Amino acid sequence: MPANETAPSVKKKGRRARLIVLVLVLALFAGLGYGAYWSVDSVRASFPQTTGSLKVPGLTGTVDVKRDANGIPQLYADSDEDLFRAQGFVHAQDRFWEMDVRRHMTSGRLSEMFGAGQVETDAFLRTLGWRQVAQQEYDTKLSPETKKYLQAYADGVNAYLKGKSGKDLSVEHAALKLSDSYQPEQWTPVDSVAWLKAMAWDLRGNMQDEIDRALMTGKLSQTQIDDLYPPYPFDRNRPIVEGGTVKGGKYTPAAGPGSGSPVSSGGQGGANGSQVSTQTGGETGLAGNATAQGATVGLRTQLGALADTLDEIPAILGPAGSGIGSNSWVVAGKYTTTGKPLLANDPHLSPQLPSVWYQMGLHCRTASASCQYDVAGYTFSGMPGVVIGHNADIAWGMTNLGADVTDLYLEQVKPEGYVYDNKVLPFTTREEVIKIAGGGEKKITVRSTNNGPLISDRSDEIATVGARAPVNSAAPDRGNGYGVSLRWTALDPGKSMDAVFKINRAKNFQDFRTAARDFEVPSQNLIYADNKGPNGNIGYQAPGRIPIRTTGDGKMPAPGWDSKYAWKGGKDGNAGYVPQDEMPWAYNPDRGFIVTANQAVTESGQGKYPYVLTTDWGYGARSQRINDLIEAKIKDSGKISTDDMRTMQMDNSSEIAALLTPMLAKIDVSDPDVRSAQKLLDGWNYTQEPDSAAAAYFNAVWRNILKLAFGDKLPKELRIEGSCMNVPEQTTGPADDLAKMVRECGERGSDSAQPDGGDRWFEVVRRLVKDENSAWWQSPAVGRTVAATTTRDQLFARAMKDARWELTAKLGKDQSTWSWGRMHQLMLKNQTIGTEGPGYLQWLLNRGPWNLGGGEATVNATGWNASSGYGVTWVPSMRMVVNLADFDKSRWINLTGASGHAYHDHYTDQTTLWAKGDLLDWPFGKEAVDKATVDTLTLQPEGS
């Protein structure tokens, strides 16, 4: 399929071209019988008004909405509430369909929009209770100021909705209207807060690893599992901060000039600086607990079904997997061409249309006690404030810290409740009613233990385990002898919404750290820069609610009936969690730069950092490459420019290719066709450009190495759905019995199947290649034509041959036509309807493909899952480079565009630029914004 490589055209010509295309599309629909429902008016009716004036109820003064040539708005107001009321209005103008789908998802109400097919998803989300927790946060945790802003934002959304329905809101709402009388309801403040729960779910840490390790126990030994989860390579890949520890109840950065600062975070530390590790030994989970031996098979059955259920839950931000994450780094002014810090960020998330991000500026015309904001950056439609960006004093970025904030517990379920410390306790229950579009409803009962909701109740696929527990009529009809509950920090009310506004207003590192204390969920790496002093300052803070485990290490599901596995400990109001004063931070470190790319935050252990935040870090392939690029640039020229930062963001170098290619080049290949493919690797510099034939062939070889060495040895619950193989009917007993083979097929969805090829697998293979005779290199014969392998080089040779014929089938026999971009394509799909709707609607709403470079665990992290193919599954969802010396010289880009309306000028007008690695100008000051403005809309109070 050819790529979309057309550069954006001149605005007027672009509008004319889009109108012509739109007319042709609608003419086609008319021929197919859809003409009665679709017209140019139907598609254009929801396009926002961007010039002139509009009356908005609730405003106390006028708000100017100034949009540039890409439709990116900068808002100017005279009060905070007017600013956020206008933000809600403008978000709804461009993105209400996205907002409406999102709030139905977070509240478990997708069935109200899309019918019975979403009931099971809704039931799982209701069991988690995102909306319920968001309501508790709003009622009991958030500050009055934050509530005021949330209400103003909701009022702005509702002002936009007034008098609108169907095609006036979006073409998707119009399509929904064809078969349903769906009417959007009023926006509420809790709709905004609930979005943070969805964000936390997608960034929840190692829950998938916990499930996968438990599932592996059914087929692999503990030694083999350890092979597939090697320790973090601290000797090779630098953590975010080095050498710090906890003293006197506070984290203390490593000693040395410029390594830290006596900046206070504004809170009280723990009373004892000799805190031990969160993991103090003992059993690691069910595998080491004698009381659970009879439940092992039941656990695997439960978790296999749970993994299937998780695959069906919409991942707003992106699929779980090793290698997915984000990049951010900041360079001190002494090493930049500007003399002040430069800060870069590119979060790696699921590709969506529209992008999950919305670019915006929020400006008070005059700073005052009633108007405190002058900030710009990336926002979430449906939520007030700026999530990532800068104000007039500081800039900040985020990457996922990856802390272990979830634990699965196997529960012993009895007719009257669940077992806890040899007692049977009653479940906490609540009734939920799921309403279904077109009529009907489904009632469910949510049962919770003191470890959390019983999520295993929500899977129809769970086989009966042990004696089936009798249940009363109010309980789920799928009650089993054992259940699985979820303990997750995000299910406790918190104050993360307060943190967003505090960061937006922060003026220095102390303000920033104080704000970070409230950023409890999801736990993020926060990088920082400011423009104070001669060279500015740079910093880092690790916030988040991180549980303390007194027994177990969170790697495997724990026995829920044993209280010693519960989360507890902590001090000074932080019971159960690492005190915020003891979380790692850094300020102006000696090396002059800070890199966060999902690698280890710091090294734990005796005499080091006393807490284990997780054992499932990213393995540092991206972070160390960024470290190396920065150090090489400083050594070469002494200074780094804004363009250097952009170039680093597009770095396509493959660490695994650099390791394996020299080995592959030495393998004796007799087949002339395979040999000709092997020659593509001669002189290759390991960069994965879109037009590279060598990158195409190497990645195919890598994928086949993973399949032969690991994929075919994993349990069916982890292998890609549809991958079938013959296996012995039983694995123990007399040899004669082992001769009977049965067909076994994989069960895992494409986003989470293993081996996914991320940087954990880089580390696995790096360690194993040293042993040419490892059992992992053994692969059985296939028929009479493919011989079994017993050594590394034999398996590599087989993978090279398989890759050659795979690419012949995909790209043709002529290697001169091969390219990585033809295999590694990005398709942008509209939320929900663009994925699962009728084919004609998908054709109308979706865009692509784009041929991309980059790849798995590279800095330009266009991820793909090696189990399922080469298509792009996550991307740098935006890129930004902030210039602290002159904010108007900062640069940014979004994956799609400002608009969520199909066929609008700004639907995907940034995508081709994004694919090429280009960045747009990012005006911030009033003069620069005015110069860039092409459309101005004035929002006026009613009666003005």
Side-chain angles (χ1 to χ4, degrees):
M1 188 178 291
N4 180 350
E5 296 178 341
T6 305
S9 55
V10 176
K11 190 174 183 181
K12 188 176 292 184
K13 291 181 179 178
R15 286 177 174 168
R16 187 180 302 121
R18 288 183 180 87
L19 184 58
I20 292 171
V21 170
L22 186 54
V23 170
L24 292 174
V25 168
L26 297 173
L28 174 62
F29 284 163
L32 294 174
Y34 296 104
Y37 301 109
W38 294 93
S39 65
V40 172
D41 177 65
S42 294
V43 176
R44 297 178 65 89
S46 58
F47 287 8
Q49 179 179 334
T50 59
T51 60
S53 63
L54 288 171
K55 298 294 179 64
V56 175
L59 286 178
T60 60
T62 61
V63 180
D64 292 325
V65 182
K66 301 184 177 185
R67 295 178 184 259
D68 66 11
N70 292 97
I72 300 170
Q74 303 279 344
L75 278 54
Y76 289 85
D78 293 316
S79 74
D80 294 338
E81 287 176 89
D82 278 357
L83 202 53
F84 294 120
R85 187 173 287 106
Q87 185 181 20
F89 187 91
V90 173
H91 273 166
Q93 278 190 307
D94 283 333
R95 300 284 192 92
F96 185 69
W97 168 255
E98 175 191 9
M99 294 164 62
D100 206 14
V101 170
R102 185 176 294 156
R103 67 162 162 184
H104 278 79
M105 192 206 77
T106 57
S107 58
R109 296 169 53 214
L110 288 170
S111 301
E112 295 179 20
M113 298 182 79
F114 305 110
Q118 298 297 322
V119 167
E120 294 306 314
T121 295
D122 283 345
F124 187 82
L125 294 171
R126 296 282 187 100
T127 299
L128 292 180
W130 291 352
R131 173 75 185 203
Q132 180 187 36
V133 178
Q135 185 70 58
Q136 292 172 356
E137 288 187 358
Y138 184 79
D139 291 341
T140 66
K141 291 289 186 178
L142 299 181
S143 70
E145 183 180 57
T146 293
K147 291 182 180 181
K148 181 173 64 176
Y149 296 158
L150 287 165
Q151 186 61 60
Y153 181 91
D155 291 344
V157 176
N158 294 329
Y160 173 77
L161 292 179
K162 187 176 181 180
K164 294 184 175 68
S165 63
K167 70 179 184 180
D168 297 325
L169 293 170
S170 73
V171 72
E172 294 94 337
H173 282 102
L176 208 61
K177 200 79 169 174
L178 298 181
S179 59
D180 197 278
S181 58
Y182 173 75
Q183 180 70 33
E185 62 192 36
Q186 294 285 286
W187 193 267
T188 73
V190 180
D191 291 330
S192 297
V193 178
W195 162 235
L196 287 172
K197 299 304 168 187
M199 179 180 173
W201 176 254
D202 285 353
L203 302 175
R204 62 191 178 274
N206 75 335
M207 181 176 169
Q208 192 68 58
D209 289 322
E210 190 175 335
I211 292 171
D212 289 355
R213 277 190 290 259
L215 292 171
M216 287 179 185
T217 60
K219 192 168 184 178
L220 303 178
S221 69
Q222 188 58 51
T223 298
Q224 290 173 314
I225 295 172
D226 290 343
D227 283 346
L228 303 185
Y229 287 89
Y232 185 89
F234 285 100
D235 59 331
R236 190 176 67 256
N237 293 344
R238 179 182 287 168
I240 297 172
V241 296
E242 298 174 278
T245 189
V246 173
K247 295 180 180 179
K250 291 182 179 293
Y251 178 82
T252 303
S259 294
S261 166
V263 177
S264 169
S265 64
Q268 297 299 313
N272 188 341
S274 59
Q275 185 100 28
V276 296
S277 166
T278 53
Q279 281 75 52
T280 57
E283 299 100 347
T284 59
L286 290 176
N289 188 276
T291 64
Q293 294 305 309
T296 303
V297 175
L299 172 66
R300 288 198 295 269
T301 306
Q302 294 266 5
L303 293 180
L306 174 58
D308 292 340
T309 301
L310 295 180
D311 277 341
E312 300 301 318
I313 304 305
I316 288 183
L317 298 184
S322 60
I324 189 171
S326 304
N327 300 325
S328 70
W329 65 93
V330 60
V331 181
K334 65 180 178 180
Y335 290 131
T336 69
T337 58
T338 67
K340 290 290 176 73
L342 294 173
L343 185 150
N345 197 187
D346 55 288
H348 307 155
L349 306 174
S350 177
Q352 296 182 21
L353 184 58
S355 165
V356 70
W357 299 109
Y358 184 96
Q359 296 149 290
M360 179 178 272
L362 302 172
H363 307 278
C364 289
R365 294 190 182 99
T366 303
S368 68
S370 62
C371 203
Q372 308 170 74
Y373 293 88
D374 188 15
V375 60
Y378 294 87
T379 70
F380 288 138
S381 301
M383 198 178 94
V386 170
V387 178
I388 294 174
H390 71 83
N391 60 30
D393 300 289
I394 76 164
W396 69 95
M398 297 185 190
T399 64
N400 194 23
L401 192 148
D404 187 355
V405 295
T406 60
D407 274 347
L408 296 170
Y409 288 89
L410 184 64
E411 306 284 359
Q412 287 185 323
V413 178
K414 302 289 185 181
E416 64 275 22
Y418 63 99
V419 177
Y420 192 76
D421 283 349
N422 299 316
K423 297 178 181 179
V424 178
L425 304 180
F427 288 106
T428 300
T429 63
R430 70 177 190 274
E431 301 294 324
E432 295 277 355
V433 179
I434 300 170
K435 296 181 180 179
I436 303 170
E441 61 184 32
K442 179 174 181 176
K443 295 182 180 180
I444 65 170
T445 300
V446 177
R447 302 189 293 178
S448 295
T449 73
N450 53 13
N451 292 315
L454 203 66
I455 57 177
S456 55
D457 279 349
R458 298 283 78 87
S459 177
D460 286 318
E461 305 299 323
I462 296 176
T464 300
V465 181
R468 189 176 179 88
V471 294
N472 59 36
S473 58
D477 61 1
R478 295 184 295 279
N480 294 308
Y482 296 97
V484 177
S485 63
L486 171 66
R487 183 79 167 96
W488 178 33
T489 56
L491 297 185
D492 296 327
K495 299 185 289 184
S496 293
M497 198 70 237
D498 283 347
V500 172
F501 296 113
K502 288 181 180 179
I503 291 174
N504 284 194
R505 298 193 304 263
K507 295 184 178 299
N508 52 51
F509 194 51
Q510 180 172 335
D511 290 349
F512 183 73
R513 291 192 67 208
T514 300
R517 296 176 67 86
D518 290 335
F519 208 103
E520 299 165 323
V521 177
S523 185
Q524 297 288 288
N525 295 307
L526 298 178
I527 62 164
Y528 167 93
D530 68 40
N531 54 16
K532 309 301 181 185
N535 293 116
N537 301 285
I538 65 173
Y540 164 81
Q541 177 68 56
R545 186 186 290 158
I546 315 296
I548 294 173
R549 298 173 180 85
T550 53
T551 303
D553 58 10
K555 288 184 176 180
M556 298 280 279
W561 49 82
D562 190 340
S563 63
K564 69 182 179 182
Y565 286 86
W567 293 357
K568 56 188 177 183
K571 302 176 179 69
D572 299 332
N574 290 291
Y577 306 110
V578 178
Q580 288 297 297
D581 280 327
E582 299 181 16
M583 291 290 286
W585 58 277
Y587 189 68
N588 292 330
D590 276 347
R591 63 180 178 270
F593 59 90
I594 301 169
V595 175
T596 86
N598 315 109
Q599 80 272 38
V601 171
T602 190
E603 189 170 5
S604 302
Q606 189 68 32
K608 301 175 183 176
Y609 186 65
Y611 298 102
V612 178
L613 303 179
T614 185
T615 57
D616 288 309
W617 305 111
Y619 280 78
R622 283 179 290 109
S623 62
Q624 192 55 44
R625 175 64 178 172
I626 297 167
N627 275 308
D628 292 344
L629 289 170
I630 294 172
E631 289 178 336
K633 188 65 181 178
I634 291 173
K635 183 177 180 180
D636 178 54
S637 66
K639 300 292 182 180
I640 292 174
S641 68
T642 301
D643 197 55
D644 291 332
M645 302 282 275
R646 182 198 67 82
T647 300
M648 292 176 194
Q649 288 179 325
M650 295 302 296
D651 182 79
N652 288 326
S653 179
S654 169
E655 180 187 88
I656 195 64
L659 174 69
L660 296 184
T661 298
M663 300 179 191
L664 298 173
K666 294 177 181 178
I667 293 176
D668 185 18
V669 175
S670 58
D671 186 314
D673 289 317
V674 180
R675 174 61 186 149
S676 66
Q678 184 186 36
K679 287 183 178 179
L680 291 172
L681 303 178
D682 292 346
W684 180 44
N685 64 356
Y686 318 130
T687 60
Q688 302 169 101
E689 300 298 331
D691 60 356
S692 172
Y697 181 59
F698 173 80
N699 283 315
V701 174
W702 170 237
R703 180 177 183 236
N704 280 279
I705 288 173
L706 291 169
K707 177 181 182 295
L708 294 170
F710 310 106
D712 292 345
K713 299 178 179 69
L714 295 177
K716 65 182 185 297
E717 294 90 351
L718 272 68
R719 298 201 314 269
I720 185 73
E721 185 176 8
S723 63
C724 299
M725 55 192 294
N726 293 323
V727 299
E729 187 173 31
Q730 62 185 77
T731 57
T732 60
D736 289 345
D737 293 337
L738 300 180
K740 186 175 182 181
M741 306 294 283
V742 296
R743 194 73 167 159
E744 181 187 85
C745 296
E747 300 175 353
R748 185 63 67 82
S750 60
D751 283 345
S752 58
Q754 294 294 330
D756 61 20
D759 67 353
R760 172 165 67 87
W761 294 98
F762 289 13
E763 194 64 21
V764 168
V765 172
R766 179 186 295 278
R767 289 168 174 264
L768 290 175
V769 291
K770 300 172 185 177
D771 181 1
E772 297 185 27
N773 298 302
S774 168
W776 289 107
W777 306 129
Q778 297 174 11
S779 185
V782 179
R784 298 181 178 180
T785 58
V786 180
T789 67
T790 59
T791 69
R792 180 196 70 193
D793 286 355
Q794 287 174 355
L795 185 139
F796 281 12
R798 183 165 158 184
M800 291 169 71
K801 182 176 181 179
D802 290 351
R804 171 51 161 128
W805 299 119
E806 181 184 359
L807 293 200
T808 297
K810 291 180 180 295
L811 304 179
K813 189 172 183 179
D814 183 0
Q815 294 172 189
S816 68
T817 67
W818 290 3
S819 71
W820 174 227
R822 286 179 61 197
M823 299 164 62
H824 191 53
Q825 293 187 325
L826 169 68
M827 283 294 301
L828 292 174
K829 295 185 177 182
N830 181 276
Q831 288 188 48
T832 308
I833 291 181
T835 302
E836 299 180 359
Y840 72 92
L841 278 176
Q842 292 191 37
W843 188 73
L844 174 66
L845 299 174
N846 296 344
R847 299 290 182 270
W850 282 266
N851 293 350
L852 299 186
E856 191 69 28
T858 62
V859 180
N860 182 23
T862 55
W864 53 285
N865 186 308
S867 290
S868 56
Y870 305 95
V872 175
T873 56
W874 56 78
V875 293
S877 55
M878 61 81 159
R879 298 186 185 100
M880 74 176 194
V881 178
V882 182
N883 183 332
L884 275 293
D886 185 347
F887 286 121
D888 291 330
K889 293 182 179 177
S890 300
R891 308 272 287 166
W892 62 353
I893 197 76
N894 205 350
L895 173 64
T896 60
S899 180
H901 299 289
Y903 290 98
H904 192 278
D905 290 351
H906 304 308
Y907 193 46
T908 56
D909 61 329
Q910 297 185 50
T911 307
T912 297
L913 295 171
W914 171 92
K916 293 177 180 179
D918 292 338
L919 300 174
L920 297 172
D921 291 336
W922 181 354
F924 178 71
K926 180 72 164 53
E927 184 177 341
V929 169
D930 287 344
K931 185 177 180 180
T933 297
V934 296
D935 286 338
T936 299
L937 173 68
T938 300
L939 304 180
Q940 299 177 331
E942 283 189 321
S944 62

